[in-house]
Amino acid sequence: MATNTREGSNEGWDKYREETFARQKQLGVVPADSELTPRPKEIPAWGDQSADAKKVFARLMENYTGYLEYTDAEVGRVIDAVAANGELDNTLVIYIVGDNGASAEGGLEGTVNGIASLNGIQLGLPGLLAKYDQIGGPETEPNTPVGWAWAADTPFQWTKQVASHFGGTRNPMVISWPKHIADRGGLRSQFLHLIDVAPTVLDVAGIAQPEVVNGIPQKPIEGVSFASTFASAATPEVRTTQYFEMMGNRAIYKDGWIAATRHGIPWLTAGQMSGFDEDVWELYDLSKDFTEANDLATNNPAKLKELQAVFDVEARKYNVLPLDDRMAGRFDLTNRPNALAGLTTFTYGPGVGYIQESAALNTHNVAFSVTAQLDNDVDKADGVIIAEGGKTSGWSFYVKDGLPTFYYNFFEVAGYRAQSTTPLPKGKSTVRFEFTPAEKGYGKPADVKLFVNGQQTGTVRVEKTVPVGYSGEGLDIGSDNISAVSPDYTSPFAFAGKVVGVRLDLSQ
């Protein structure tokens, strides 16, 4: 995607898409007879947006394209360093531009809190306007609206997570190896997949795929080397079949044809998805239709049936089945491998930090407690005892102005504070909080109680809880690293006394 300008952002995603498509044809990166796929009805027109919406949406796109330009510059520094050492001509550079398609995870209006969006929480236009001047700074984690994601995937249909169509899967790949690739600036159109990159690197380096690593037998790499394409654009394809699937959106490529069925749209509400047997399949002849613009399913049902059968074979072979169209459930950290699986309690010592959520006991949608043994040898032992998450969302247990305090940050939309009526005693003490959801389910309200040396000293009702993930900042003991969960302090706000140990207990 070309770097955008303020003027380009203000013209909107429909205009941007048309201009990008014209440049793609001019550069020859898409065939001259390609058709630009239309905007789906589920994505609003730029012209239908209010003045305030256009203002915020343009700023979000400017921030995104500014980051792309910054990334390009930093990649350039790496390339320049290799060149300065005289090694660039004999260095294989593979630059894949993108992560699936452009991200539509910001929702229809975009977001300044990416983790909130993944949890299904949208701030709305008023919330975005309130953060307008902070977009691009450390106070926000923005993502563009769906319309800009769709425009960034020009000329294809749909976006990231919609793995049925090329807007959700197809990325440019740039390869440079001057000493070994003579066709400088040449284009290649052979169908490839990311899994083919590692076998290619091993192939050109003359290294066999390892069968055993550190005594552990390795599963054979499923990709194939595409080094043969370096010599000629006419080299036959080495990857003739490839399935795609994500949350029920699925496709199958074989010998220049692709069959696809869109099962759901990530930015719409849960419950939009029908049964898998009700999904409508499409068929495209990619040898004549680069952009998947002309659906041939009705005209060629035999080819469609043939490809559907291939998908079933590939899906069984690579453990795609049973199909799983859950959204929040697939992001739920409890569904991921965890070294602490099966444990209901864990004790942390002082100085522990940056423990990712997936490597800690899960504190979402469950009752849990935290018990800390402290040794306060100063007059004012303020600071964080334990914190999980950061400014985007999370919870923190700390001492502020001598008073043990609990704070729950719900995506900066709401905050809930329980502060002890009893100060932290000098010397050794035990402080504790109990977190008890009012009912089972995702994101339900919870009651929090504070205790100092066994006596209840504070309480708060947390009306909104984070369903599946706080942030990427993890869990810290004795400080709150990176960004602050609570507005009561500035990170790291290290505890001035001594944290002897902190026990997190799911059994309460």
Side-chain angles (χ1 to χ4, degrees), residues 307-430:
L307 288 179
Q308 287 173 314
V310 175
F311 178 86
D312 289 341
V313 171
E314 296 295 295
R316 289 186 176 91
K317 181 179 179 181
Y318 294 110
N319 303 312
V320 178
L321 303 178
L323 295 172
D324 184 355
D325 60 3
R326 293 173 302 154
M327 294 290 287
R330 292 183 71 158
F331 286 113
D332 192 335
L333 294 172
T334 61
N335 294 327
R336 303 180 187 181
N338 188 322
L340 306 187
L343 297 181
T344 59
T345 185
F346 199 88
T347 299
Y348 296 95
V352 173
Y354 307 99
I355 304 297
Q356 291 297 300
E357 286 184 58
S358 58
L361 294 180
N362 173 58
T363 59
H364 296 281
N365 315 303
V366 295
F368 71 97
S369 65
V370 166
T371 304
Q373 304 296 330
L374 305 178
D375 191 351
N376 174 20
D377 58 357
V378 297
D379 291 332
K380 188 178 180 182
D382 283 5
V384 171
I385 301 166
I386 179 174
E388 184 165 26
K391 63 180 177 57
T392 51
S393 66
W395 53 265
S396 182
F397 192 29
Y398 53 97
V399 180
K400 176 69 173 178
D401 297 327
L403 300 175
T405 306
F406 172 88
Y407 186 85
Y408 197 96
N409 174 5
F410 183 78
F411 306 114
E412 295 187 296
V413 174
Y416 307 94
R417 181 186 291 101
Q419 192 164 62
S420 173
T421 56
T422 301
L424 180 70
K426 202 158 186 186
K428 294 181 179 180
S429 63
T430 300

Side-chain angles (χ1 to χ4, degrees), residues 168-467:
T169 58
R170 190 161 195 172
N171 295 149
M173 180 170 67
V174 181
I175 297 180
S176 173
W177 198 13
K179 191 173 180 179
H180 297 272
I181 299 178
D183 187 14
R184 185 180 179 88
L187 297 174
R188 299 291 185 269
S189 60
Q190 291 92 340
F191 194 94
L192 299 173
H193 192 273
L194 182 65
I195 61 174
D196 301 324
V197 172
T200 303
V201 172
L202 292 173
D203 181 15
V204 300
I207 300 173
Q209 295 183 16
E211 297 182 0
V212 178
V213 175
N214 294 331
I216 300 174
Q218 300 296 293
K219 181 180 178 182
I221 297 176
E222 291 156 349
V224 293
S225 172
F226 57 84
S228 59
T229 65
F230 294 178
S232 171
T235 299
E237 284 187 350
V238 293
R239 172 159 299 283
T240 59
T241 305
Q242 179 61 48
Y243 82 90
F244 298 90
E245 189 277 331
M246 186 173 186
M247 291 179 289
N249 295 313
R250 54 205 189 275
I252 182 71
Y253 170 85
K254 185 171 177 60
D255 298 327
W257 289 82
I258 193 165
T261 181
R262 180 180 57 76
H263 181 68
I265 305 174
W267 59 87
L268 295 183
T269 57
Q272 47 140 345
M273 299 175 182
S274 60
F276 293 112
D277 291 339
E278 299 174 43
D279 293 339
V280 177
W281 284 79
E282 303 163 13
L283 177 68
Y284 301 99
D285 180 358
L286 298 178
S287 67
K288 301 174 183 177
D289 181 12
F290 179 84
T291 62
E292 298 179 316
N294 298 295
D295 179 11
L296 303 177
T298 301
N299 296 336
N300 199 339
K303 175 59 74 171
L304 176 60
K305 187 175 181 180
E306 173 192 332
L307 288 179
Q308 287 173 314
V310 175
F311 178 86
D312 289 341
V313 171
E314 296 295 295
R316 289 186 176 91
K317 181 179 179 181
Y318 294 110
N319 303 312
V320 178
L321 303 178
L323 295 172
D324 184 355
D325 60 3
R326 293 173 302 154
M327 294 290 287
R330 292 183 71 158
F331 286 113
D332 192 335
L333 294 172
T334 61
N335 294 327
R336 303 180 187 181
N338 188 322
L340 306 187
L343 297 181
T344 59
T345 185
F346 199 88
T347 299
Y348 296 95
V352 173
Y354 307 99
I355 304 297
Q356 291 297 300
E357 286 184 58
S358 58
L361 294 180
N362 173 58
T363 59
H364 296 281
N365 315 303
V366 295
F368 71 97
S369 65
V370 166
T371 304
Q373 304 296 330
L374 305 178
D375 191 351
N376 174 20
D377 58 357
V378 297
D379 291 332
K380 188 178 180 182
D382 283 5
V384 171
I385 301 166
I386 179 174
E388 184 165 26
K391 63 180 177 57
T392 51
S393 66
W395 53 265
S396 182
F397 192 29
Y398 53 97
V399 180
K400 176 69 173 178
D401 297 327
L403 300 175
T405 306
F406 172 88
Y407 186 85
Y408 197 96
N409 174 5
F410 183 78
F411 306 114
E412 295 187 296
V413 174
Y416 307 94
R417 181 186 291 101
Q419 192 164 62
S420 173
T421 56
T422 301
L424 180 70
K426 202 158 186 186
K428 294 181 179 180
S429 63
T430 300
V431 294
R432 170 184 174 89
F433 74 82
E434 296 178 353
F435 188 95
T436 308
E439 58 182 301
K440 291 183 178 181
Y442 286 102
K444 299 300 183 181
D447 293 307
V448 177
K449 297 178 181 178
L450 294 186
F451 300 86
V452 176
N453 287 334
Q455 299 297 311
Q456 184 175 329
T457 60
T459 185
V460 69
R461 175 81 166 191
V462 179
E463 295 292 346
K464 297 179 180 181
T465 61
V466 176

Side-chain angles (χ1 to χ4, degrees), residues 60 63-64 103-107 109-114 117 141-145:
L60 288 169
N63 174 74
Y64 175 58
S103 172
E105 291 157 359
E109 293 182 316
T111 185
V112 291
N113 189 325
S117 184
E141 295 181 358
N143 201 337
T144 62

